[in-house]
Every structure is written in C-alpha cells, then in structure tokens.
Amino acid sequence: GYMWKLPMKDTRSEKWQRRLFMAKDGFLLYYDPKKSPEDPHFDNKPKGVIPLGGCSVELIERGPKESGMHGLKVTHHDFYTGRHLVLCAESEDEQRAWFDALNDC
C-alpha cells in the first residue's frame, strides 16, 4: 500500500515522499508511486529495500499535513547510528495494519 516516508539521510528533514510499499520475505520494499503493480510497465526493481528481521517498530504522531499524524518509526541495528525510518500511513487503520505487518516479519 501507499505511505509517506522521510529521507533516512537527514533525520531532521520534513520532505515527505509518497511511496508504494510492500512487505515481502522479511524486507520492506518501496517503489516510485507513479506506477501500479498492475501496470504492465511496472518496474519490479524497488527504489529501496529495508531489512525487517530484528527491527523495532513503534507508533508515533508524525506525518505530512495532507496525510495526518499516523506515523511509524522503524529502527534496526544495521541502520547507521542515530538513523531510523519514519513512515506515515494514510489513516489510523492503515497505521495499525502496517504496524502489525512490520512486526510479523
């Protein structure tokens, strides 16, 4: 499904980017949102891959103005020191579903 993400390189940035996410085989994959997986020209190569084994996920109140405050903070021992992944679901129900899905990987 679609979520918003902040860049991991600059944890102070508020430049939210909308991405298509898929949790698969212990990884969180994200893609450019302009193409749907149903599109015959969908690029199967993800823009990014996040390992989920051993990750920690917490619910946070953070997000872009257009989406609301349905945030998720993902931390992992393989991330550089002080870095984490901040995501924002488009609703509270989606936030809870993503929280459960990410914790199950």
Side-chain angles (χ1 to χ4, degrees), residues 56-97:
S56 171
V57 183
E58 62 183 283
L59 300 174
I60 60 173
E61 291 186 12
R62 192 164 177 194
K65 292 177 185 172
E66 57 269 28
S67 180
M69 305 296 271
H70 314 293
L72 298 156
K73 180 179 174 183
V74 181
T75 55
H76 191 279
H77 59 84
D78 284 344
F79 294 169
Y80 289 110
T81 303
R83 291 196 184 165
H84 48 268
L85 176 64
V86 178
L87 305 170
C88 181
E90 297 187 342
S91 71
E92 190 173 336
D93 289 340
E94 287 184 25
Q95 178 192 36
R96 177 54 66 180

Side-chain angles (χ1 to χ4, degrees), residues 31-62:
Y31 300 85
D32 188 325
K34 295 178 183 126
K35 300 251 184 199
S36 166
E38 291 81 35
D39 186 322
H41 302 290
F42 180 72
D43 183 1
N44 288 334
K45 184 179 178 203
K47 289 186 77 63
V49 179
I50 309 293
L52 294 175
C55 75
S56 171
V57 183
E58 62 183 283
L59 300 174
I60 60 173
E61 291 186 12
R62 192 164 177 194

Side-chain angles (χ1 to χ4, degrees), residues 5-13 83-84:
K5 82 176 259 312
L6 285 176
M8 288 181 69
K9 292 179 182 176
D10 183 2
T11 57
R12 297 166 301 183
S13 172
R83 291 196 184 165
H84 48 268

